[in-house]
Amino acid sequence: AAAFVATGDEARDTAAAQAAGAAGVPVNVMDRPVLCDFIMPAIVRRGDVTVAVSTGGASPTLAQLIRARIESALPERLGDLIALAGQFRAQVNRLVPDMPRRRALWRRVLGQTDLEGARRSILKELDAARSDTAPLGIGHIVGAGPGDPDLLTLRAAQLLQEADAIMHDDLVPPAILARARREAELVSVGKRKGRHSWRQADIEAELVRRVRAGQIVVRLKAGDPFIFGRGGEEVDALRAAGLPVTVVPGITAALGCAASASIPLTHRKLASSVTFLTGHTAEDGGKGETHVVYMGASEAGAVRDRLLAKGFDPATPVAIIENGTRPDQRVTTGALADLARLAVGHSARADAGPSLIVVGAVAALADISNEAILAEAS
């Protein structure tokens, strides 16, 4: 038996605590630690993972504030990952008796962004252990945002604490690098105008070398890795080498700097579109153009017609991304001429989520593996 008292009145709280004590029942009195036989910590649960926060009864409000910060830092799917670890723990202990190697294995597996990715990772690790081959690491192409460390995504902050090595741009400030795991190796590979720096081919080769050697590597880029950040080239290099890679978006400079200056990039009365440009051209002398259409699935036919009227080739690649970044993400790819038909599966369903349409040559690079995984699971 236990007694909980929360009358809010000091005299009544005291009387109730004395009555409980006389009956030999331990008591907890809300916000009155001097009357308590035991205290109740603030709890965060993610499956079998439990984190308790206590201030010794001195400030339950502070405990709740700390709990809220911990809740925001711990991934919602952490419980599923722990359950997966429990399923494979005996096999890992048997096949990987060396403790440092086993710890590195679990860091690689549990650092995955999704449950299916972690499952595939641990199966590969076990296959490597059975054949006594060196385990592969993983590369994370991560956006550091415009410079304020508080604007890092939660996922970026988590990966900085998991990385063996962080290959970072010169533009990434020390305040962000200070969020890295203490033991992580910091490797500056930045490019600065007019200064000797790493060539892109060298960066990609170093990424491949480190991941192949079993390291968890964060390629940390200022802004967003897919907005003038050559993140796509680095993803291509890792994929071509048969190595695992994930991408974590960041707040790109255009968004961060405009918000900092209170400049809305779109405005219902003033501006309905945004174009991102770079001051130099690609090495081949020119670039294609990418159009991103928000909330366009239900108007896909009209979007197609307007673009064709502007002279777009009907064969231009398109991608429709529904519920982007979420576990139920769906991606459909095709040609501009078929956009209306492709969009039916994203707009006709009663449970359809928000969709984004990407038009341009880069749309052909869309990775639809996540959609295939979800289809298999269902």
Side-chain angles (χ1 to χ4, degrees):
F4 294 86
V5 181
T7 71
D9 178 81
E10 184 175 3
R12 295 174 66 194
D13 283 350
T14 302
Q18 291 172 344
V25 176
V27 63
N28 174 277
V29 184
M30 184 183 74
D31 292 342
R32 304 189 196 281
V34 70
L35 298 178
C36 293
D37 296 317
F38 64 93
I39 58 176
M40 297 296 294
I43 297 294
V44 179
R45 284 196 175 91
R46 295 287 189 271
D48 288 336
V49 177
T50 302
V51 180
V53 181
S54 173
T55 60
S59 179
T61 299
L62 178 59
Q64 292 169 5
L65 291 172
I66 295 172
R67 177 183 65 185
R69 293 195 177 190
I70 293 174
E71 282 184 325
S72 67
L74 294 180
E76 287 292 335
R77 289 167 290 207
L78 185 61
D80 295 333
L81 290 173
I82 293 301
L84 180 70
Q87 294 173 21
F88 288 95
R89 181 180 179 185
Q91 293 182 59
V92 170
N93 290 349
R94 184 176 68 255
L95 292 169
V96 189
D98 179 67
M99 180 59 74
R101 182 177 174 184
R102 187 191 309 164
R103 188 179 296 116
L105 178 153
W106 283 121
R107 285 180 49 232
R108 287 191 294 271
V109 170
L110 299 178
Q112 298 291 315
T113 57
D114 64 276
L115 184 62
E116 289 303 321
R119 187 183 301 278
R120 291 193 302 272
S121 178
I122 197 169
L123 291 174
K124 289 181 179 178
E125 294 277 357
L126 292 174
D127 287 343
R130 290 188 186 96
S131 60
D132 198 28
T133 58
L136 296 176
I138 184 170
H140 300 287
I141 314 299
V142 178
D148 183 344
D150 288 338
L151 292 179
L152 282 170
T153 65
L154 292 175
R155 181 62 183 154
Q158 291 160 3
L159 288 175
L160 289 177
Q161 284 294 309
E162 296 170 8
D164 296 311
I166 298 172
M167 299 173 59
H168 63 90
D169 288 348
D170 281 346
L171 294 176
V172 176
I176 288 180
L177 297 177
R179 303 285 180 99
R181 187 168 68 96
R182 189 178 309 157
E183 298 82 5
E185 179 184 359
L186 300 180
V187 183
S188 176
V189 296
K191 304 182 186 69
R192 297 294 289 272
K193 187 174 182 179
R195 286 173 46 184
H196 178 73
S197 61
W198 288 57
R199 296 183 307 132
Q200 184 62 30
D202 295 334
I203 294 174
E204 293 165 11
E206 183 67 5
L207 262 174
V208 168
R209 183 189 71 79
R210 287 177 176 272
V211 174
R212 200 171 263 155
Q215 288 190 342
I216 300 172
V217 183
V218 166
R219 173 66 177 103
L220 191 62
K221 297 175 157 298
D224 181 275
F226 278 7
I227 301 291
F228 305 131
R230 295 196 174 184
E233 297 172 42
E234 291 163 5
V235 168
D236 289 343
L238 288 166
R239 284 180 178 168
L243 299 172
V245 58
T246 71
V247 180
V248 179
I251 297 176
T252 192
L255 304 183
C257 297
S260 181
S262 297
I263 299 172
L265 293 181
T266 63
H267 190 290
R268 191 166 61 90
K269 297 179 180 179
L270 302 175
S272 60
S273 65
V274 181
T275 301
F276 294 160
L277 301 173
T278 179
H280 56 82
T281 59
E283 290 150 1
D284 62 3
K287 287 183 180 173
E289 188 173 359
T290 303
H291 281 61
V292 179
V293 183
Y294 287 71
M295 300 170 287
S298 61
E299 301 293 330
V303 170
R304 175 203 59 200
D305 292 344
R306 286 198 296 269
L307 293 177
L308 291 176
K310 287 184 176 182
F312 273 66
D313 185 339
T316 301
V318 298
I320 303 175
I321 306 168
E322 179 183 343
N323 292 326
T325 77
R326 306 177 193 179
D328 56 348
Q329 173 178 301
R330 295 179 64 240
V331 180
T332 302
T333 59
L336 176 60
D338 295 326
L339 183 58
R341 179 182 60 81
L342 297 171
V344 170
H346 296 272
S347 60
R349 305 190 331 272
D351 61 343
S355 294
L356 198 75
I357 299 174
V358 180
V359 182
V362 296
L365 302 177
D367 181 3
I368 61 173
S369 59
N370 188 42
E371 182 179 1
I373 292 167
L374 291 169
E376 292 173 7
S378 62

